[in-house]
């Protein structure tokens, strides 16, 4: 998909059944809900997996380009509209304060944070909901995460078993759906 919210309305055509299967309409939004996420799109596709021989997985994750810098996040720093607040952060988050502060509120915002050995911060959605990062108003969070735009709606990966030809149709023609990677794409 692209990285903007909107409507996902796709159907899947199977040449073995010579039939179109409507996946349904999902409004994808940065509203901190699974119902309006690519996780919901993947679940809708997976309801057809027995018939079509495909499975879908939503991946919603974002990583900083560089390592986390020492500094202080903004008091209004938030993930999915859940305020994380002002945190003193060490270079590479070696103290773990940034990751701990984010993960302490995972139940509220649905996002898990981690820092790799290079000091890069990764945010991963637990259930496929979009990740919306509000860095705050004073620039501290932007300095800590290297001006990275960590907001993302993610993408859905389709996996096929067998030799059935599946054609994905972007029924609504919306901007949220971008089809790639050896898929036959038909506009309805």
């Amino acid at each position: 998909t692209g990285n903007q919210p909107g409507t996902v309305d796709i159907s899947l055509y199977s040449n073995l059944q010579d039939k179109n299967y409507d996946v349904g309409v999902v409004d994808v939004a940065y509203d901190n809900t699974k119902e309006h996420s690519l996780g919901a799109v993947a679940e809708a596709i997976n309801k057809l997996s027995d018939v079509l021989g495909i499975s879908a997985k939503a991946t919603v994750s974002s990583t900083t380009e560089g390592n986390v810098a020492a500094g202080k996040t903004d008091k209004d720093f938030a993930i999915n509209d859940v305020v994380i607040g002002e945190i003193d952060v060490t270079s590479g988050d070696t103290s773990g304060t940034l990751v701990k502060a984010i993960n302490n509120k995972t139940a509220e915002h649905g996002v898990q944070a981690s820092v790799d050995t290079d000091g890069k911060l990764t945010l991963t959605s637990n259930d496929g909901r979009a990740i919306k990062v509000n860095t705050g108003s004073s620039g501290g969070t932007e300095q800590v995460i290297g001006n990275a735009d960590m907001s993302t709606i993610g993408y859905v990966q389709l996996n096929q078993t067998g030799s059935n030809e599946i054609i994905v149709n972007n029924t609504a023609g919306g901007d949220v759906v971008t089809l790639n990677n050896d898929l036959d794409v038909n506009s309805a």
Side-chain angles (χ1 to χ4, degrees):
T1 71
N3 205 23
Q4 296 299 318
T7 300
V8 175
D9 185 6
I10 60 174
S11 67
L12 303 171
Y13 172 80
S14 167
N15 71 331
L16 288 180
Q17 287 89 9
D18 192 25
K19 183 176 177 183
N20 265 312
Y21 293 87
D22 187 28
V23 173
V25 177
V26 176
D27 290 319
V28 177
Y30 287 112
D31 66 356
N32 197 20
T33 66
K34 185 177 179 184
E35 296 78 27
H36 297 132
S37 72
L38 290 183
V41 172
E43 284 180 5
I45 292 170
N46 286 332
K47 289 178 183 175
L48 299 169
S49 64
D50 288 345
V51 175
L52 298 174
I54 63 169
S55 63
K57 178 184 175 197
T59 301
V60 184
S61 184
S62 183
T63 302
T64 57
E65 288 184 27
N67 69 326
V68 172
K72 185 179 283 196
T73 59
D74 294 304
K75 65 181 178 182
D76 49 349
F77 164 48
I79 296 174
N80 287 345
D81 297 324
V82 175
V83 175
I84 306 300
E86 202 170 59
I87 302 147
D88 288 316
V89 181
T90 57
S91 179
D93 195 31
T94 54
S95 64
T97 56
L98 179 60
V99 166
K100 184 177 179 182
I102 293 169
N103 290 345
N104 281 342
K105 297 190 177 184
T106 296
E108 297 173 60
H109 55 56
V111 175
Q112 188 77 31
S114 62
V115 172
D116 67 14
T117 56
D118 293 329
K120 294 180 181 179
L121 174 68
T122 297
L123 302 178
T124 304
S125 172
N126 287 344
D127 59 9
R129 76 182 81 175
I131 299 172
K132 176 181 151 192
V133 178
N134 176 356
T135 56
S137 55
S138 67
T141 306
E142 289 178 356
Q143 184 243 324
V144 167
I145 64 171
N147 293 318
D149 179 6
M150 298 193 73
S151 297
T152 182
I153 62 170
Y155 64 91
V156 173
Q157 178 178 340
L158 298 177
N159 296 304
Q160 180 178 357
T161 58
S163 60
N164 189 10
E165 181 181 341
I166 302 293
I167 299 173
V168 180
N169 297 298
N170 183 4
T171 326
D175 291 336
V176 174
V177 177
T178 303
L179 304 172
N180 57 32
N181 292 338
D182 302 323
L183 294 176
D184 289 327
V185 180
N186 292 336
S187 296

